[in-house]
Amino acid sequence: MKAEGGVIGRLDDWLNPIVVKELRQAVQGKFVSAALILLLVVQLAALGIYIVSNGDFADRFDAGRTAFMFLLGILLAVCLIFVPAYTAIRLALERDTNVDLLFVTTIKPSAIVWGKMFAALTITVMAFSACLPFMVFTYWLRGIDLPSIFILMAIAFLMVTIAVQLATFVACIQAGRVLKILLSLLVFLFFPQAFVGLLSWSYFALSHGVGSRLTTWDFWGPASTVLLISSAVIGLLFSLSVAMIKPASSNRAFPVRLFASSLWLVSGIASAAIGYFQRDSTPLSVWSILSVLVFGAAFFVGVSEREQLGPRVTRKIPDGALRLPAFFLFSGGANGVAWCALMCLMTFVVVQLLTSKSTTLSAGGSMSSSQAWTAGLALYAFAYSMAALFIRRRMLSRWIRPRLTWVVGFLLLAAGSLLPILLGYLIVFGNFRKAEDIGGWLVTNPFALGIDSYRTVYITFAGACSIIGALINADWFIEQIKAFRPHVGEPATISLELNR
Amino acid sequence: MKIEVSHLKKYFGATRAVDDISFTFAAGQVVGFVGPNGAGKTTTMRVLSTLDEPTEGDATIDGVSVVEEPEQARKLVGYVPDALPGHRDISVHDYLDFFARAYGIKKPKRSLVIGGVEEFTNLTGIREKTLHALSKGMKQRVSLARALLHDPPVLIMDEPAAGLDPRARVELRELLRVLAGQGKAILISSHILTELAEICNAAVIIEQGKLLMAGAINELISTDATRRTVIIRPLGSPEGLVRDLLEMPHVESANPAGGEVVVEVSGSDEVCSDILIALIQRGYRLAEFKQHRAGLEDIFMNVTRGEVQ
C-alpha cells in the first residue's frame, strides 16, 4: 500500500492510460510479438543469405554498406507500413464504433493522440532495437562506419514518426467510411514514396560519407534543418489531430491557428536569418511558397468550419481591443478564411519588404518569380474555396453539410485543373503541344503558374475570381462577423461548480 | 439531479433519426426507453452520452449541456452500449484499469474502486480472464462495471438484456434495482417489455424518431385505460353467460375460450364492477372474475405502429 501511494504510485498515475493499455495488449497479444519475431527472422535470413552468397569478403570494401541497405530496407518496409497502419486502424475503429468508448471517458483529446503516438513509437523502438545488432554487425563487413549506421537509423526513426503521425491524423478525420478509406489510400501512397526516397537518400549519404562530416556544418546544417522541418510537420499534424477529436462545440481551431501562426513566424525568422548569412534568397522563397501552400490548403478547411458559434465559444470571445485578433484565431468559417487570407497577405508583404530593404536577402534567386507563385497560389486557393462555399450553400445545402465543403472544393480544383485541358485536347487541338502554346487552356489550373509567359494572365484571372468569390459570399462573411460578439448571460459552468 | 432532453433532433441526411424529442427524468428513477427497431433510441442515447452531436436541440444533466460541455457531462454519465467489449488481448481487470485511468482515478483509490466494482458486478472470480473468452452475460457485466467506475449519477443502458439467458437477465435486473436504490437515474432501452415493466417506474415511448408517450408507468397505464379485458370462468356452460354479457352496456365483445369467457369492456374499473354485480344478481355462479391489467407491452402495442424509416 505504501508503494502504491508513494513515488511509484505517482509515476503510475502520470502514465498515459492509452500507452498502458496499448502496450499491455501488445505484450499479451500475439500479433505484435509475431510481427517482431518475423522481422528478426527476416533480418537474420537476409544477412545470412547475403554472407553465404557473397563468400569471400577479403577484397570487397562495400559489403557492409550493401548489407546495411538491405537490412534498412526490410526495417523501413515494416515500420513505414505496418506501424502506421496498425495505429491508424485501431484509432479509426475506436472512433467509429463502440469498441473502446474512449470518447465517453474524461480523457483529454491530446492524451488520446499522444498515447496512440507514444505506443506506436514504442513498438517502433522495439523493432529498431531488435534489428540494431544485425545492422551494427554490417560494420565488420566494411564499407560503413558506426556513426553512419546510427545517424541513418535516427533519420529512419524520424520518418516513421512522421508516417505514424500522418496516419493518426487521417484516422482522426471525421468522415464517412468510404471517404475515409479513400483518404487513407491517398495518404498511404505517400509511404512507398517515402520508403524509396529515404533508401535512395541513405545510399547517397553513405556513398558520400556521413560519419566523416560529423564535425562540419555540411552535416549539421542540413541535419538541423531536416529535424526542425520534421518537428514542425509532426507538431502541426499533432495539433490538427487533437482538434479533429475535440468536441465540435469547443474552440478547437484556436490552438491549431496559434501553433501554425507561431510556426510561420519562427520559420520565417529562421529562413530570413539563413538567407542573410548565406547571401541567398532561396530560403525565404521556399518559406513563402511553403507557407502559402499550407494556408492555401487551410482555406478549404476554413470554409468547412461551423458557421454558427455556440455559447461555449462565444463565452470566450474577449471584449474591446482583443476582439479583432480573436476573430482571426477563433473557430468559425469566416474566421478561418480571414485568418488564411491574413497569413497569405502577411507572407507576401513580409517577403516584399525584406527583399526590397535588403540586397543580401534578394540575392541569388529569382524573388519576383517566387512572389508571383506566392500571390498566384493564394488567390487560386481563395477563389476555389469561395466557389465551393457558394455552391455548397446555394445549390447543395440539402445534401452536403458545411463540414464537407472541402470535398466540393477539391473536386472543383481537380475539375478546374484537368477538364479544360482535356476538353481542349479532345475537341480543339487534338495532339500534345507545348504548355506555352496552349497556356489559355490552363487558366483554371493553379499548378500552371510555372509558365512564365502566362503568369500575369493567370494571376489576374485568379484575382478577378477571388473578388467575385468574396462578393457572392459577402452575406456569409457579414453574418458571421456580426455574430462574433461576447456571449451575454450567466456562465453555464457556475451551477456545475457548485454541485461538485 | 435532473436529466432534461429538450427538442432534440438528429438527422442523417434525409433520415430524421430523432425528431424533436423532449422529456425529463430525475435521480432514483428507472426509465424504460421503448420503441421499435430504428425508432431513434440508440441515437438519443448516444447524444446523451456525448458520443454524437444533435442536429438541433440539447440535453442537460444537472444543468450541464451535453452539447456545450461534453467533457463535464461525461463525468456525470455512465454509458453501456449495445455492443459488448470484445478485445482479444486484454483481461477484465486490465480493461477496467484502463478505463479507471481514463477517468482520472488515481492510484490508491483506483485499486479500491476497481475491486469494489468487480465485486458489485460479480466479476472478481474472472478478473484475469481475457474479454473475448467471456460469455455474453459476463461481457454485459464488464460493460456495466466500466460504466460504474467513476460512480456516475446517471446510467444510460442500450439494450443491456439483449441476448442474455434468463439467469443473467434476473441478475442484471437485481443489479439495476440496487443501483436505482442508490439514487442513480437510469435510462434503459430494451425490447423485453415485461422485464422493463418490472424494474421501471417511468417510460418513454418513441417511434420514427418522434415521441409518442412519456411519463410514470402508472400514469401511462391509466391514460391508456379506456378499454379493459375481463376474463370470467363460470361454474357451468358459458353459452348463456356470453348472451347475457353481450346485452350489457359497455361490453364490446364476449368470446368463449375453453371454459372461460374473454370480455372486452369499454370503461373504467367501476364498469367492470357493475358487470360483476349484474352477473351475480342474475344468478351466475362464477369461479373466477379477473381483470387483465394493461402493461407496458399493451401500451406499446396500442401506441406504436411498428413503422421504421
Side-chain angles (χ1 to χ4, degrees):
Chain A
M1 196 67 189
K2 197 179 174 184
E4 279 196 346
V7 179
I8 294 171
R10 277 204 295 276
L11 278 174
D12 191 46
D13 284 337
W14 285 339
L15 288 175
N16 184 308
I18 313 267
V19 176
V20 176
K21 181 189 137 261
E22 294 281 325
L23 294 183
R24 273 180 183 164
Q25 279 186 274
V27 171
Q28 287 171 18
K30 296 182 183 77
F31 187 59
V32 174
S33 318
L36 281 175
I37 291 167
L38 186 67
L39 178 65
L40 271 175
V41 170
V42 170
Q43 290 257 331
L44 187 64
L47 194 59
I49 290 167
Y50 180 75
I51 291 170
V52 171
S53 61
N54 284 280
D56 186 15
F57 289 96
D59 55 348
R60 289 194 58 188
F61 297 99
D62 64 344
R65 189 191 309 162
T66 313
F68 176 82
M69 288 307 296
F70 265 120
L71 298 179
L72 185 66
I74 294 165
L75 177 65
L76 277 178
V78 171
C79 291
L80 266 180
I81 294 162
F82 164 74
V83 179
Y86 176 77
T87 309
I89 290 168
R90 286 177 68 95
L91 180 57
L93 280 176
E94 283 160 16
R95 188 145 173 71
D96 285 351
T97 67
N98 285 332
V99 175
D100 250 351
L101 293 169
L102 277 177
F103 302 93
V104 185
T105 67
T106 50
I107 193 166
K108 285 182 179 171
S110 55
I112 293 176
V113 177
W114 167 238
K116 290 283 171 189
M117 277 294 293
F118 193 84
L121 293 181
T122 308
I123 292 172
T124 309
V125 167
M126 283 158 75
F128 272 61
S129 309
C131 297
L132 193 64
F134 299 104
M135 297 175 104
V136 169
F137 177 76
T138 59
Y139 167 69
W140 279 282
L141 296 178
R142 294 188 295 182
I144 188 165
D145 54 291
L146 281 175
S148 299
I149 290 172
F150 289 113
I151 286 162
L152 289 178
M153 286 190 78
I155 291 170
F157 185 80
L158 197 63
M159 192 59 88
V160 175
T161 310
I162 294 174
V164 170
Q165 184 60 76
L166 186 61
T168 308
F169 167 66
V170 173
C172 290
I173 292 175
Q174 278 184 321
R177 196 155 285 187
V178 177
L179 188 59
K180 212 163 199 176
I181 289 170
L182 284 174
L183 277 172
S184 307
L185 288 175
L186 203 67
V187 167
F188 273 80
L189 284 177
F190 156 81
F191 297 144
Q193 288 180 25
F195 171 75
V196 174
L198 189 59
L199 273 190
S200 312
W201 181 85
S202 300
Y203 191 77
F204 172 81
L206 280 178
S207 308
H208 289 75
V210 183
S212 58
R213 292 165 197 253
L214 270 183
T215 50
T216 65
W217 179 247
D218 283 352
F219 172 78
W220 287 108
S224 50
T225 308
V226 167
L227 191 66
L228 284 174
I229 291 174
S230 304
S231 307
V233 170
I234 292 167
L236 193 60
L237 286 172
F238 181 86
S239 64
L240 283 169
S241 307
V242 173
M244 295 278 182
I245 57 172
K246 271 188 167 180
S249 58
S250 66
N251 191 9
R252 56 185 181 177
F254 182 75
V256 179
R257 290 199 193 134
L258 206 59
F259 180 83
S261 305
S262 312
L263 196 62
W264 172 85
L265 187 66
V266 171
S267 57
I269 292 169
S271 305
I274 293 168
Y276 185 81
F277 287 116
Q278 292 191 336
R279 296 181 170 277
D280 188 359
S281 64
T282 311
L284 212 51
S285 299
V286 172
W287 171 76
S288 67
I289 290 172
L290 281 179
S291 298
V292 166
L293 278 175
V294 171
F295 297 125
F299 272 122
F300 295 93
V301 179
V303 291
S304 310
E305 280 191 53
R306 61 194 297 200
E307 293 166 356
Q308 285 155 346
L309 301 178
R312 181 169 175 174
V313 177
T314 53
R315 270 200 298 270
K316 288 177 182 158
I317 296 174
D319 219 348
L322 284 175
R323 198 166 138 200
L324 181 67
F327 179 79
F328 290 99
L329 294 173
F330 270 41
S331 280
N335 309 55
V337 173
W339 174 72
C340 294
L342 179 73
M343 296 309 287
C344 287
L345 185 70
M346 283 191 352
T347 306
F348 184 84
V349 171
V350 163
V351 173
Q352 199 66 33
L353 280 175
L354 285 175
T355 50
S356 63
K357 298 277 179 200
S358 162
T359 48
T360 318
L361 273 173
S362 58
S366 53
M367 235 21 251
S368 61
S369 169
S370 83
Q371 281 293 74
W373 270 97
T374 305
L377 284 174
L379 289 170
Y380 271 111
F382 181 75
Y384 271 112
S385 60
M386 287 296 104
L389 178 65
F390 183 76
I391 290 170
R392 202 268 307 151
R393 285 170 60 224
R394 300 289 182 193
M395 297 169 202
L396 305 173
S397 61
R398 281 189 65 187
W399 298 281
I400 297 180
R401 278 173 282 176
R403 75 173 194 210
L404 290 177
T405 311
W406 64 273
V407 179
V408 182
F410 280 129
L411 288 175
L412 280 178
L413 180 62
S417 304
L418 296 173
L419 280 184
I421 192 76
L422 279 177
L423 285 174
Y425 173 76
L426 291 172
I427 299 165
V428 185
F429 33 89
N431 55 3
F432 289 106
R433 297 193 183 179
K434 274 192 201 168
E436 283 80 0
D437 298 339
I438 50 166
W441 291 89
L442 293 165
V443 74
T444 50
N445 186 341
F447 308 104
L449 281 164
I451 306 171
D452 292 342
S453 51
Y454 276 91
R455 196 172 285 151
T456 313
V457 176
Y458 294 159
I459 292 172
T460 311
F461 174 78
C465 290
S466 296
I467 292 168
I468 295 168
L471 288 175
I472 57 176
N473 289 300
D475 58 330
W476 183 81
F477 278 106
I478 292 166
E479 216 168 271
Q480 290 182 57
I481 291 167
K482 277 184 182 170
F484 192 78
R485 55 183 70 247
H487 179 81
V488 181
E490 289 294 311
T493 45
I494 283 180
S495 61
L496 180 72
E497 298 301 332
L498 290 173
N499 286 327
R500 288 280 120 143
Chain B
M1 173 65 67
K2 188 177 173 191
I3 297 89
E4 198 164 355
V5 177
S6 173
H7 300 289
L8 202 69
K9 292 179 186 176
K10 177 73 183 176
Y11 302 159
F12 295 104
T15 307
R16 297 180 169 212
V18 178
D19 195 6
D20 205 7
I21 280 181
S22 301
F23 62 89
T24 57
F25 60 103
Q29 273 192 305
V30 183
V31 181
F33 199 32
V34 188
N37 286 331
K41 302 187 296 290
T42 299
T43 308
T44 307
M45 290 181 142
R46 283 178 63 84
V47 170
L48 277 170
S49 314
T50 74
L51 277 174
D52 275 340
E53 281 177 53
T55 310
E56 267 181 53
D58 201 350
T60 55
I61 299 162
D62 203 17
V64 180
S65 161
V66 297
V67 180
E68 293 300 330
E69 304 288 341
E71 297 93 340
Q72 298 298 329
R74 282 170 195 161
K75 293 177 186 168
L76 307 172
V77 177
Y79 178 53
V80 180
D82 52 351
L84 299 173
H87 299 71
R88 296 193 67 81
D89 309 321
I90 193 163
S91 70
V92 170
H93 185 75
D94 286 348
Y95 183 75
L96 294 177
D97 179 69
F98 162 61
F99 276 97
R101 287 170 188 266
Y103 277 113
I105 303 168
K106 301 289 179 200
K107 183 74 179 179
K109 196 183 162 194
R110 194 165 65 235
S111 308
L112 294 173
V113 165
I114 297 170
V117 167
E118 282 174 345
E119 200 178 321
F120 177 71
T121 49
N122 202 15
L123 291 170
T124 313
I126 55 159
R127 67 203 297 253
E128 296 307 328
K129 275 194 173 185
T130 52
L131 284 177
H132 81 286
L134 299 181
S135 68
K136 212 163 189 176
M138 283 300 162
K139 279 183 186 171
Q140 193 59 263
R141 283 171 178 277
V142 175
S143 209
L144 178 62
R146 181 197 57 213
L148 292 173
L149 280 169
H150 59 302
D151 194 21
V154 181
L155 266 181
I156 292 169
M157 307 178 80
D158 193 0
E159 298 286 350
L164 298 189
D165 63 33
R167 173 175 283 277
R169 253 186 243 165
V170 171
E171 286 170 354
L172 179 69
R173 203 165 59 205
E174 289 311 311
L175 285 178
L176 292 180
R177 281 214 177 98
V178 174
L179 289 168
Q182 289 173 358
K184 292 194 190 300
I186 303 174
L187 180 70
I188 175 171
S189 77
S190 176
H191 285 302
I192 306 159
L193 300 180
T194 46
E195 293 263 338
L196 277 186
E198 282 185 45
I199 49 170
C200 297
N201 39 33
V204 175
I205 304 177
I206 64 167
E207 186 174 36
Q208 288 194 300
K210 289 190 190 301
L211 185 81
L212 300 179
M213 280 181 119
I217 296 273
N218 289 338
E219 282 172 24
L220 294 179
I221 290 171
S222 59
T223 312
D224 194 56
T226 52
R227 294 172 81 240
R228 304 291 164 107
T229 303
V230 178
I231 296 159
I232 304 168
R233 188 157 64 87
L235 281 178
S237 167
E239 280 175 26
L241 176 67
V242 170
R243 208 170 36 245
D244 279 354
L245 278 167
L246 287 171
E247 286 170 1
M248 289 182 186
H250 302 293
V251 174
E252 290 184 346
S253 67
N255 299 306
E260 295 176 339
V261 180
V262 180
V263 187
E264 293 293 335
V265 179
S266 61
S268 61
D269 288 347
E270 283 75 20
V271 172
C272 295
S273 175
D274 291 345
I275 291 169
L276 178 61
I277 293 165
L279 289 176
I280 289 166
Q281 282 173 350
R282 289 181 192 195
Y284 284 105
R285 297 181 70 200
L286 304 178
E288 206 171 345
F289 184 99
K290 65 178 180 189
Q291 196 186 126
H292 169 72
R293 289 186 66 81
L296 198 53
E297 211 160 42
D298 301 288
I299 301 166
F300 178 75
M301 293 307 288
N302 284 342
V303 297
T304 61
R305 285 180 290 179
E307 288 174 357
V308 289
Q309 294 184 80

